[in-house]
Amino acid sequence: MPQPCGDIVLDEKAIAGAVDRLARQIQNDYGGQPLVVIGILKGAAIFMSDLIRKLRIPLRVDFLRVSSYSAEGRSGDLRLEFDLTQSVADCHVLVLEDVVDTGQTLRFVRPHLLGKGALSVKFCSLLRKTTSPRDLLVDYVGFEIGADYVVGYGMDLDGLYRNLPWIERCEATKP
């Protein structure tokens, strides 16, 4: 079994501070309007759990699972593996991501949700890599990080380390 990388990039206190800051920004922007918060599985689950408990606005939650990896582990075209379980028609939607890297997932999700009748679609990501496309609109960002691969706080390496309460840098990368 691979060992954790050990190089902590963001500790629990820094993450909690970012979650608080993001929750305040979201509450201010939505001004009490009802909201549907959609987490991108599996990486955003822990971030979503912490963030929605800080929001004091009416909200519903749902999930999407999108994959760009084939059965052979190669990156390829995006496919929807798990769709919403409730309607977003005539709703404001906030999509939560763990990390924005290439932006491929967000470019796929926005038209998908607008096609389902969402009034608006905004994106919130705990992490945004400095190498991600700058033309990609991410409305709320917890931290900008370098191109390194990271694990912890919901993010994994071969299914491991999602349960770490902090975020670590790894030298290993996905195929």
Side-chain angles (χ1 to χ4, degrees), residues 152-173:
Y153 198 71
M155 293 165 276
D156 75 308
L157 175 62
D158 297 328
L160 299 172
Y161 314 122
R162 290 187 195 278
N163 60 316
L164 295 176
W166 55 77
I167 296 172
E168 296 183 4
R169 179 180 297 118
C170 280
E171 292 183 24
T173 60

Side-chain angles (χ1 to χ4, degrees), residues 3-174:
Q3 296 298 309
C5 303
D7 183 12
I8 296 176
V9 177
L10 295 166
D11 64 19
E12 295 168 72
K13 185 176 179 180
I15 294 167
V19 170
D20 287 343
R21 175 178 47 83
L22 292 168
R24 284 191 306 274
Q25 290 173 338
I26 292 163
Q27 279 187 198
N28 287 339
D29 287 357
Y30 284 95
Q33 294 179 71
L35 184 61
V36 177
V37 180
I38 297 173
I40 303 296
L41 292 173
K42 298 178 188 173
I46 293 173
F47 173 45
M48 181 177 183
S49 176
D50 287 348
L51 182 68
I52 64 173
R53 286 182 291 170
K54 300 284 184 180
L55 294 174
R56 301 293 178 247
I57 58 178
L59 61 84
R60 291 185 291 131
V61 299
D62 211 333
F63 295 93
L64 286 172
R65 184 166 175 185
V66 180
S67 178
S68 63
Y69 292 95
S70 68
E72 298 81 35
R74 293 189 203 112
S75 184
D77 293 331
L78 281 180
R79 69 179 184 281
L80 188 62
E81 293 184 340
F82 180 83
D83 204 351
L84 302 174
T85 60
Q86 53 193 315
S87 175
V88 294
D90 301 319
C91 297
H92 296 287
V93 174
L94 178 66
V95 178
L96 301 183
E97 263 281 40
D98 53 355
V99 59
V100 172
D101 188 354
T102 64
Q104 193 175 8
T105 301
L106 273 54
R107 286 192 177 100
F108 177 87
V109 168
R110 182 182 305 277
H112 178 71
L113 296 173
L114 290 172
K116 289 181 173 286
L119 291 175
S120 67
V121 178
K122 289 189 176 183
F123 293 100
C124 176
S125 184
L126 179 63
L127 306 177
R128 180 177 182 150
K129 292 195 176 184
T130 55
T131 55
S132 70
R134 292 292 108 182
D135 65 330
L136 183 66
L137 178 62
V138 182
D139 304 275
Y140 308 98
V141 176
F143 300 97
E144 293 269 345
I145 65 166
D148 297 320
Y149 192 82
V150 294
V151 298
Y153 198 71
M155 293 165 276
D156 75 308
L157 175 62
D158 297 328
L160 299 172
Y161 314 122
R162 290 187 195 278
N163 60 316
L164 295 176
W166 55 77
I167 296 172
E168 296 183 4
R169 179 180 297 118
C170 280
E171 292 183 24
T173 60
K174 292 243 180 212

